[in-house]
Each structure stands twice: as C-alpha cells, then as structure tokens.
C-alpha cells in the first residue's frame, strides 16, 4: 500500500533468526514500497513485503565488496520521492554501530518523513550461548565498543573498559584480535575470560571460549571470522 508522502523507516532486523523480529517491524514490512536491505538482514524477511515491493540489496561484506554509503543515501532519496515508503532494513539494531541515525538525518534534510523501529541487537543474542551481559555480583555494567574505528585503529575506549569488571562487547573486532589480546596482556589482564560468537541466533552458530590472551589463536582454531562478536569478562566463564 503506497503512501502519498515520502517516508523512510529505519528498521532493525534483529540478530538473524527471523522470529526475533519485533511485531512493529513485522507489520511495517507488509506495507513497504521499497526495501533497502543489508547483508546481515535475514532475506526470509523479504517474503513479508507486498508482491509489488521493490527489494534492493545494499549490503556491505566486512572488508570485502560493499555498497558505498553515498549510494545508499542516493537510493533513500530517489526511492522515497519516487515510490513513497522506503524501509531501510538493517541487521541487529540500526542505532548500534549501524549508521541508522546518519540515514535518518539525511532523509530529514530532503523533506522525507522518518521513523525508527529498534531491533534486537546481536549482543542480546549472546544469551543463547549462556553468556549474560550482566550477572549479579559478577558484572554490573557493560561496555560496548567498536574494534575498528573509521581510521582503522583500535578504539582507545577499550583501555578504559578493561580497567573494570564490566562485560566488554566488541563489534567489528575480528581484524584486531591480536591487538586486543596484546592490550589486555600489557594491562596484566590476559587471563580474563573471553569468547567469540558468530550467528548466535542461527543453526550454523559458532562459539569459542578461552582467555583473552589467546584471542587470536581462538579465532584461528575455530575458523571464526567476521562478522562475529568478541565478549570479554567474568560472565563468559559462568558455565565453563
């Protein structure tokens, strides 16, 4: 069903399992005129769209082929003005390292009405692997950091995070496993429990647990690459 005014819905697709989509996202996908979907959004969700909906892949393979962000913005503007309701379907939650708010701001500057529908973040799916983000008397807070900044360097926030017993969750850190391990070793915290989890909500999930000092070896031995989350802290060892 088309709308008269151009609209952009930035929608979180969740951590992979299509059944973890929110009810609000489920309903809005059924009204889409255009869906711009990411690499990490489960393609089964496209089946919810109307038959005449235009579905366009704008994914970004980590460290590989990708659709430039500038092109995605062009498509948002072009398709919203041409067809009406554009759904920007992004894996996990669009406001957690997903550049979702950048797209919202861009759309607003072009007179496009905007809406945000949160999604279950991939870090929330860690519970499927018996890794709670917090646990009473073990971890009372969470640090969520990016492993690789825009310039390719390791986030300086990591050194702040490792000073506490907080659970540290690192997104986009698989190219930095050696650097992360070294940072913990140099801070005399190399024995801290750590895990790497990939596709936690899907049948082909992979998980490896160990010590942060061995992070690079853990990744290599388990053959886990990107995309994956790195989790560091006492919560990892609760069921070891």
């Amino acid at each position: 069903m088309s709308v008269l005014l151009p609209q952009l819905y930035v929608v979180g697709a969740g951590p992979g399992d299509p059944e973890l989509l929110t009810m609000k996202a489920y309903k809005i996908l059924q009204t889409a005129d255009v869906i711009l979907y990411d690499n990490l959004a489960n393609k089964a969700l496209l089946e919810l769209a109307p038959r005449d909906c235009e579905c366009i892949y704008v994914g970004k393979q980590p460290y590989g082929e990708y659709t430039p962000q500038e092109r995605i913005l062009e498509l948002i503007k072009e398709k919203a003005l041409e067809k009406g309701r554009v759904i920007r379907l992004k894996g996990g939650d669009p406001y957690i390292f997903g550049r979702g708010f950048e797209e919202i701001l861009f759309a607003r500057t072009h007179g496009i009405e905007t809406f945000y529908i949160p999604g279950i973040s991939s870090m929330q799916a860690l519970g499927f692997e018996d890794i709670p983000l917090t646990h009473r008397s073990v971890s009372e807070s969470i640090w969520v950091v990016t492993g690789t900044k825009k310039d390719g360097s390791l986030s300086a926030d990591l050194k702040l995070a490792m000073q506490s017993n907080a659970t540290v969750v690192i997104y986009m850190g698989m190219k930095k496993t050696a650097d992360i391990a070294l940072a913990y070793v140099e801070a005399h915290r190399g024995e801290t429990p750590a895990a790497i989890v990939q596709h936690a909500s899907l049948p082909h999930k992979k998980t490896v647990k160990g010590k942060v000092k061995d992070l690079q070896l853990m990744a290599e031995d388990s053959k886990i690459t990107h995309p994956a989350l790195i989790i560091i802290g006492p919560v990892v060892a609760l069921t070891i």
Side-chain angles (χ1 to χ4, degrees):
M1 179 175 121
S2 295
V3 294
L4 295 177
L5 296 176
Q7 294 180 332
L8 172 68
Y9 280 78
V10 174
V11 177
D17 182 347
E19 292 187 354
L20 293 175
L21 188 73
T22 66
M23 184 62 72
K24 194 173 187 72
Y26 175 86
K27 290 179 178 179
I28 204 66
L29 281 169
Q30 295 175 344
T31 71
D33 294 308
V34 179
I35 297 177
L36 306 177
Y37 64 98
D38 270 1
N39 182 52
L40 294 178
N42 195 315
K43 293 178 181 59
L45 298 177
L46 302 179
E47 297 174 9
L48 298 173
R51 288 188 177 182
D52 59 349
C53 176
E54 183 179 6
C55 297
I56 304 173
Y57 174 73
V58 291
K60 300 177 181 179
Q61 295 281 353
Y63 312 107
E65 294 185 5
Y66 68 97
T67 303
Q69 187 66 23
E70 294 75 17
R71 177 55 183 157
I72 295 173
L73 296 178
E74 289 174 5
L75 284 169
I76 288 172
K77 178 183 175 182
E78 173 189 325
K79 296 301 181 180
L81 296 176
E82 174 190 341
K83 293 194 172 183
R85 179 168 291 172
V86 174
I87 308 297
R88 180 70 174 97
L89 190 62
K90 303 170 78 72
D93 181 89
Y95 281 10
I96 300 179
F97 302 120
R99 304 186 73 172
F101 196 55
E102 293 179 32
E103 295 168 355
I104 288 280
L105 293 176
F106 170 84
R108 288 177 183 171
T109 64
H110 292 280
I112 299 169
E113 190 176 16
T114 61
F115 303 88
Y116 163 60
I117 299 179
I120 294 176
S121 170
S122 55
M123 69 178 178
Q124 292 174 276
L126 294 171
F128 291 123
E129 294 302 286
D130 284 340
I131 302 175
L133 295 177
T134 62
H135 188 72
R136 190 166 60 174
S137 77
V138 175
S139 174
E140 298 175 351
S141 58
I142 310 164
W143 280 76
V144 183
V145 301
T146 176
T148 307
K149 297 196 302 181
K150 186 176 181 180
D151 63 4
S153 64
L154 186 66
S155 173
D157 284 347
L158 182 61
K159 291 187 177 180
L160 297 174
M162 69 175 64
Q163 294 176 25
S164 71
N165 287 324
T167 303
V168 179
V169 181
I170 303 175
Y171 283 70
M172 298 170 287
M174 292 306 293
K175 282 272 191 174
K176 296 290 184 180
T177 53
D179 294 338
I180 293 166
L182 179 60
Y184 271 85
V185 169
E186 290 180 342
H188 306 290
R189 304 207 62 173
E191 296 295 321
T192 306
I196 304 172
V197 180
Q198 185 178 56
H199 305 309
S201 69
L202 296 170
H204 55 286
K205 62 187 175 184
K206 288 184 178 181
T207 299
V208 61
K209 296 181 180 181
K211 303 294 184 181
V212 70
K213 66 179 182 180
D214 301 317
L215 200 60
Q216 184 178 23
L217 187 61
M218 288 162 55
E220 292 172 353
D221 286 350
S222 61
K223 294 181 172 55
I224 298 179
T225 59
H226 42 261
L229 290 180
I230 298 169
I231 310 93
I232 304 168
V235 294
V236 172
L238 288 175
T239 57
I240 290 180

